[in-house]
Amino acid sequence: MTGKNGLATKIAKVMEAVGYVPKTGNNAALGYKFVQASAVADKVRAELARLNVSMVPTTVDVVSEGMTPSGKQVLLTLRFTWTLTDGDTGETISFQSIGTGSDSGDKAAYKAATGALKYALLTGFLIPTGDDPEADASTDQQIAAAAKKIFAPSKPADTKADSLEGLDF
């Protein structure tokens, strides 16, 4: 079923309702914050349930399996196919995500599965986390400084068109 009550409409409603998910996890050892899988899953699950939509993994494929360079941990990459099913119409949509996990014990698969779920939810529902993965303030500052030197007028600017005013460096 398509249209007003179809699965695509319900997915759009989930996207609207969930909105932004903040980074509440903290890796103090490596100095970064992250979005916890449970925080994303809690928000999305509540909205999917409200709209009578289920999301389950329908296939799991091993993409690669080996050891980390140190040889001390198993490194496992899994590809999940997720299927969303509209409980009212039976309509389905499937999509995939990848997760990688490493562990010296038996938890590499669980870590890979958690990563795959988190990124399926974040990308599948276009959930912002408040960061730009390509952001690099240091590089941006260097580019801005170089641009100012290159484009700086050799004499005082007579008109607004001759100046750097209004340019975003």
Side-chain angles (χ1 to χ4, degrees):
M1 174 183 212
T2 59
K4 212 170 169 181
N5 297 317
L7 184 55
T9 299
K10 290 180 177 184
I11 291 169
K13 288 179 181 179
V14 171
M15 295 165 80
E16 180 181 24
V18 170
Y20 169 81
V21 177
K23 293 181 177 185
T24 56
N26 184 28
N27 184 325
L30 297 176
Y32 66 88
K33 290 185 174 237
F34 60 92
V35 171
Q36 295 173 303
S38 61
V40 179
D42 286 348
K43 283 188 155 191
V44 173
R45 181 182 51 248
E47 291 304 318
L48 287 174
R50 186 178 68 76
L51 296 168
N52 201 24
V53 175
S54 66
M55 178 177 163
V56 297
T58 48
T59 63
V60 180
D61 300 305
V62 176
V63 174
S64 66
E65 184 176 13
M67 299 299 287
T68 58
S70 69
K72 295 181 180 180
Q73 293 188 327
V74 171
L75 182 63
L76 180 64
T77 300
L78 302 174
R79 178 179 46 243
F80 280 73
T81 300
W82 303 93
T83 300
L84 294 163
T85 303
D86 186 330
D88 297 324
T89 67
E91 183 180 5
T92 64
I93 294 176
S94 294
F95 63 102
Q96 295 183 325
S97 66
I98 298 282
T100 299
S102 63
D103 193 73
S104 59
D106 63 349
K107 295 188 178 44
Y110 302 111
K111 291 177 179 181
T114 298
L117 173 62
K118 179 169 111 174
Y119 288 104
L121 296 172
L122 290 173
T123 59
F125 293 96
L126 301 177
I127 299 170
T129 61
D131 68 337
D132 178 357
E134 297 173 1
D136 182 347
S138 173
T139 301
D140 292 346
Q141 290 169 355
Q142 290 172 2
I143 291 170
K148 285 183 180 179
K149 287 180 183 176
I150 293 169
F151 297 112
S154 57
K155 59 180 177 146
D158 293 331
T159 67
K160 197 171 192 173
D162 292 330
S163 74
L164 293 177
E165 187 177 314
L167 295 178
D168 185 20
F169 289 110

